[in-house]
């Protein structure tokens, strides 16, 4: 029984280890004041962002940024602020993980994909092809 | 005479060594020659996507 238990524990550890490694691999390693501020601002803005998305005034483009889809001044202002904060975070990931010259484009593409997956039904999203659709 | 000849030989040899070193140093350390390093960075896309998802979950305060 102890032998079987050890084998099961070993298999479990081997199964979990790769997932754990992936989770921490490209995280923000050094939380500078600028990065902290960007994250907190995004958290504070999140509810308003969700509201404007559900109203169709904001959408997620295929570059990892939000785009104002109407002439609404509030939406445009919020989009600009959100994109500024996202750029701080993306840049931090590229620099702290030394992702090279292709890093910015890669990080943006990955975040865009994550945003598409997390978008709620009815949200406007831009596909990698450039086409705008409603999820 | 022999001493002088040896001295001169040594002196000339020293000059030749310095000249060779100088040329070598100049060739390697030429500031006008740019140095280009090409490095290919391999990125684990799955890991990057996991990190991105973690950040977005934190922003949405789902963590």
């Amino acid at each position: 029984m102890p032998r079987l238990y050890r084998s099961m524990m070993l298999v479990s550890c081997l199964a979990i280890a790769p997932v754990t490694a992936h989770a921490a691999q490209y995280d923000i390693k050094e939380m500078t004041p600028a990065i902290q501020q960007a994250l907190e601002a995004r958290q504070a803005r999140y509810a308003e962002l969700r509201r404007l998305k559900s109203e169709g005034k904001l959408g997620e483009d295929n570059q990892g940024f939000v785009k104002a889809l109407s002439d609404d001044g509030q939406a445009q202002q919020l989009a600009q602020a959100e994109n500024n904060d996202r750029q701080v975070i993306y840049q931090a990931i590229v620099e702290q993980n030394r992702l090279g010259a292709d890093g910015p484009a890669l990080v943006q593409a990955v975040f865009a994909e994550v945003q598409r997956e997390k978008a709620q039904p009815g949200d406007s999203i831009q596909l990698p092809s450039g086409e705008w659709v409603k999820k | 005479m022999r001493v002088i000849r040896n001295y001169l030989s040594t002196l000339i040899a020293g000059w030749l060594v310095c000249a060779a070193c100088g040329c070598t140093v100049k060739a390697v350390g030429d500031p006008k020659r740019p140095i280009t390093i090409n490095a290919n960075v391999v990125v684990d896309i799955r890991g990057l996507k996991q990190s991105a998802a973690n950040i977005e979950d934190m922003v949405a305060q789902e963590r």
Side-chain angles (χ1 to χ4, degrees):
Chain A
M1 191 62 177
R3 204 173 189 181
L4 177 63
Y5 177 75
R6 279 202 300 270
S7 301
M8 288 172 61
M9 286 299 295
L10 179 62
V11 171
S12 300
C13 289
L14 289 173
I16 292 169
V19 174
T20 307
H22 283 298
Q25 195 171 5
Y26 297 103
D27 287 347
I28 294 173
K29 294 175 172 56
E30 183 190 350
M31 194 62 71
T32 65
I35 298 168
Q36 185 70 37
Q37 189 176 355
L39 286 168
E40 288 174 356
R42 289 192 65 200
Q43 285 178 324
R45 195 184 299 122
Y46 183 76
E48 186 65 14
L49 193 79
R50 275 292 339 137
R51 184 182 71 79
L52 290 171
K53 280 184 179 180
S54 64
E55 292 176 0
K57 294 180 180 177
L58 284 179
E60 288 286 345
D61 68 18
N62 60 9
Q63 299 298 311
F65 297 110
V66 289
K67 183 177 173 63
L69 302 176
S70 67
D71 295 331
D72 186 78
Q74 184 193 10
Q76 289 176 349
Q77 209 170 4
L78 191 134
Q80 189 173 2
E82 174 71 11
N83 290 338
N84 287 342
D85 290 334
R86 288 189 185 190
Q87 184 61 46
V88 169
I89 294 166
Y90 297 166
Q91 192 63 30
I93 293 172
V94 170
E95 289 175 356
Q96 293 184 16
N97 292 283
R98 300 186 181 186
L99 299 184
D102 295 332
L106 189 60
V107 167
Q108 285 178 216
V110 168
F111 268 86
E113 185 178 348
V114 168
Q115 292 293 355
R116 282 194 297 274
E117 291 175 358
K118 291 185 177 297
Q120 295 183 10
D123 287 356
S124 294
I125 55 175
Q126 187 180 30
L127 302 177
S129 63
E131 181 186 2
W132 281 91
V133 297
K134 288 237 187 238
K135 189 168 181 181
Chain B
M1 193 64 182
R2 201 171 181 179
V3 172
I4 294 172
R5 195 187 300 172
N6 287 340
Y7 172 75
L8 286 174
S9 300
T10 306
L11 198 63
I12 291 168
W15 282 340
L16 288 172
V17 168
C18 287
C21 290
C23 290
T24 305
V25 168
K26 186 178 180 181
V28 170
D30 187 355
K32 295 179 183 176
R33 180 185 295 176
I35 298 174
T36 303
I37 298 173
N38 293 319
N40 293 322
V41 179
V42 178
V43 179
D44 177 15
I45 297 298
R46 200 172 83 172
L48 183 56
K49 193 173 175 182
Q50 183 63 53
S51 295
N54 290 345
I55 289 170
E56 293 308 313
D57 287 341
M58 183 179 64
V59 168
Q61 296 175 341
E62 289 178 9
R63 297 190 74 193

